[in-house]
Amino acid sequence: MRSLILNLISKIDKFTEYTGKCISSLIIILVALVGFDVSMRYLFNSGSIAIQELEWHIFSIIFLLGSAYTLKHNEHVRLDILYNSKLVSKKMRAWFDILGGLFILIPFCLLIIISAWPFVMQAFIHNEISPDPGGLPSRWIIKAAIPIGFFMLLIQGISELLKKVLLVLDKD
């Protein structure tokens, strides 16, 4: 059973690591796009609604799809007052993570995935476009990043939860 759990953890972690590195390449694209947009606006007095929307779409994708990578590398936000205290043992920290994962992270991810899906489907069915003239079409694509990002966060949360359960069950 332990080897099955370790195998699952390994597969999830590899997936998250790969997608996180792919998503991080979007940062370079975003910086170039913002630089181009600013240059066009201030040097040539010419702006584009589509480019501005593309900037926030890329930023949203980085944030949503990069959250699982952030969790994997333990860089997420948490209340560190107790967690990093010298008085709290490694196993106690694992218990904090287990309880936080079971009662906050996993339910919240499921809530967002379930409630965002109709939102995405409505945008797809109605072929929603930007309300701004010259904006981007196919708004469902960016809206689909919400449940996808939270699904990725959910599976990485499960991986982290399993790691902490194994730590707590260790006999050393």
Side-chain angles (χ1 to χ4, degrees):
M1 184 68 167
R2 184 176 177 86
S3 65
L4 184 66
I5 292 171
L6 288 171
N7 189 31
L8 178 63
I9 290 169
S10 174
K11 286 184 187 324
I12 293 171
D13 284 356
K14 283 179 185 173
F15 172 75
T16 300
E17 193 67 27
Y18 175 76
T19 56
K21 288 184 179 177
C22 291
I23 299 298
S24 68
S25 66
L26 289 176
I27 294 170
I28 296 167
I29 294 168
L30 180 61
V31 168
L33 191 61
V34 169
F36 174 77
D37 184 28
V38 169
S39 299
M40 291 302 290
R41 267 191 283 141
Y42 290 104
L43 296 178
F44 302 106
N45 208 18
S46 170
S48 167
I49 299 294
I51 288 179
Q52 289 177 355
E53 286 187 2
L54 187 57
E55 289 169 8
W56 70 261
H57 283 207
I58 292 172
F59 177 77
S60 299
I61 289 170
I62 292 168
F63 181 80
L64 287 165
L65 303 185
S67 62
Y69 182 81
T70 303
L71 179 62
K72 179 183 179 293
H73 289 278
N74 202 24
E75 295 295 329
H76 58 289
V77 176
R78 103 174 119 228
L79 186 61
D80 286 340
I81 295 170
L82 289 175
Y83 194 85
N84 286 336
S85 168
K86 302 275 190 229
L87 304 172
V88 179
S89 70
K90 195 172 186 178
K91 285 197 179 190
M92 185 59 76
R93 285 189 192 109
W95 274 110
F96 285 153
D97 289 336
I98 290 169
L99 294 173
L102 283 176
F103 295 110
I104 298 171
L105 180 66
I106 291 174
F108 184 72
C109 287
L110 290 172
L111 175 71
I112 298 297
I113 293 165
I114 291 166
S115 57
W117 190 248
F119 177 67
V120 175
M121 290 310 298
Q122 283 294 93
F124 178 75
I125 290 167
H126 296 295
N127 197 24
E128 183 179 346
I129 63 171
S130 170
D132 297 320
L136 296 175
S138 303
R139 178 94 17 121
W140 66 270
I141 295 171
I142 190 61
K143 289 183 177 184
I146 297 167
I148 291 169
F150 276 92
F151 176 75
M152 292 170 62
L153 184 60
L154 173 67
I155 62 172
Q156 187 59 44
I158 291 169
S159 173
E160 297 303 314
L161 182 68
L162 291 173
K163 289 176 199 174
K164 302 306 178 184
V165 167
L166 290 176
L167 178 71
V168 166
L169 295 176
D170 258 352
K171 292 186 173 56
D172 11 298

